[in-house]
Amino acid sequence: MPKMLFVCSGNTCRSPMAAALMKKALKERGIEGWIVSSAGLMAVPGIPASENAKKALLEDHGLKIDDHLSRTVDLSMVAEHDYVIAMTLRHAQWLISRFGQHKDKIYFIGELLSDEVKDAVAEYLSAKDPYSLRYMRLYEEKIKPYEVEDPYGSDLEVYKKVAGQIWQYCCKIADLIKNEGHLPPKTL
């Protein structure tokens, strides 16, 4: 069974929403046998999902994540998953810096959505000076729009907007899986 891990910062908002929405997207496409979970880079273990994350998923997607408890990502988690999907490029960079032996399975969610984003990420990460004006512009224009911003502490409408963005992304990822049987291999 393929295993997919979504990773954000605290594992109380984005990644638990992504895991629940990915399960729904896979189910709607008749894709079975995938295990989907979540964790956080800086998660305090045992914290439930935020109230607005719970409400956004229930009200707009009919999903309950009341039983979710946060987990901190670690080497064993990364090792046991086939795909580790980070909500931002910085999350992916952090994961690769800590778990480089598994870099071939760590993705920034945006690079799964289009070849243009995938190419921009590859160019940005290979830059000798990623803080030059050229590469900062590349990041701002071609990469950042595909990051899933942290709604932590925001009102319910922001959470619903983020959940909607994640839902769109999960549908695209599920379509890739349905068409190919797996996610595309890493090129970096």
Side-chain angles (χ1 to χ4, degrees):
M1 280 192 223
K3 295 177 82 175
M4 182 183 299
L5 179 69
F6 285 96
V7 179
C8 67
S9 298
N11 194 219
T12 59
C13 304
R14 292 171 289 181
S15 59
M17 289 195 297
L21 290 165
M22 189 73 227
K23 290 174 188 175
K24 180 180 179 179
L26 292 170
K27 183 176 181 181
E28 285 186 359
R29 285 155 182 78
I31 302 168
E32 298 177 354
W34 282 70
I35 296 171
V36 182
S37 60
S38 67
L41 302 178
M42 302 171 282
V44 175
I47 304 295
S50 72
E51 287 304 313
N52 281 341
K54 292 179 196 177
K55 287 178 187 174
L57 284 187
L58 184 59
E59 291 178 14
D60 288 2
H61 301 277
L63 298 172
K64 286 188 174 187
I65 57 169
D66 294 336
D67 58 348
H68 171 78
L69 294 175
S70 59
R71 304 183 307 155
T72 306
V73 68
D74 61 25
L75 179 59
S76 65
M77 245 183 252
V78 173
E80 74 181 37
H81 286 82
D82 302 292
Y83 307 100
V84 179
I85 303 175
M87 298 289 102
T88 70
L89 181 58
R90 301 288 183 248
H91 290 144
Q93 289 176 295
W94 188 95
L95 288 163
I96 290 168
S97 76
R98 298 302 187 279
F99 312 118
Q101 66 270 43
H102 298 292
K103 69 181 180 180
D104 60 324
K105 62 171 82 175
I106 298 170
Y107 295 80
F108 156 52
I109 196 168
E111 68 185 303
L112 295 168
L113 305 175
S114 82
D115 287 338
E116 182 182 14
V117 178
K118 186 177 182 179
D119 293 345
V121 168
E123 183 180 349
Y124 180 79
L125 293 178
S126 67
K128 287 187 178 23
D129 182 9
Y131 298 105
S132 70
L133 183 58
R134 174 182 175 199
Y135 289 106
M136 290 305 293
R137 186 173 290 130
L138 176 71
Y139 171 78
E140 290 293 326
E141 293 174 1
K142 305 277 184 178
I143 299 169
K144 188 174 181 174
Y146 292 90
E147 293 187 322
V148 179
E149 296 297 323
D150 194 350
Y152 184 77
S154 299
D155 64 30
L156 181 58
E157 290 310 309
V158 172
Y159 275 83
K160 287 184 173 192
K161 181 180 173 190
V162 169
Q165 177 190 22
I166 294 170
W167 172 243
Q168 289 176 356
Y169 291 2
C170 287
C171 288
K172 282 191 149 196
I173 294 167
D175 288 340
L176 281 172
I177 293 168
K178 185 171 179 74
N179 294 333
E180 303 295 327
H182 54 81
L183 294 180
K186 292 287 293 184
T187 55
L188 296 176

